[in-house]
Amino acid sequence: MRKLFFGALIFIVVILIAAIAIPFLIPNSVYKSAIEDQLTQELGRDVQIDGEISVSPFPILKAKTERVTIAN
């Protein structure tokens, strides 16, 4: 029973570390193009992001950027 508990605990810790590390290993350009495409589709206008994008997985998944242009 003790081995099962420690095995589950180690599994949970590894999953949490992976969830924290993965957003920092993926290049920001991947997020940038995906966000631009989704916003262009949702708004029906061309969207261009000129600023850098920062992604934070905790406490909630969020992306922050500056210098966003939405075509009129």
Side-chain angles (χ1 to χ4, degrees), residues 12-55:
I12 291 170
V13 168
V14 168
I15 294 298
L16 287 174
I17 290 172
I20 293 170
I22 287 174
F24 298 107
L25 298 175
I26 298 173
N28 287 340
S29 61
V30 173
Y31 296 121
K32 188 175 185 178
S33 63
I35 292 171
E36 284 177 341
D37 293 342
Q38 185 67 32
L39 285 174
T40 298
Q41 181 181 3
E42 293 293 324
L43 296 174
R45 298 170 185 262
D46 289 334
V47 176
Q48 183 178 1
I49 299 174
D50 295 326
E52 291 293 319
I53 294 179
S54 62
V55 177

Side-chain angles (χ1 to χ4, degrees), residues 3-4 23 27 31 47 60 69:
K3 288 182 183 180
L4 180 64
Y31 296 121
V47 176
I60 59 171
T69 305

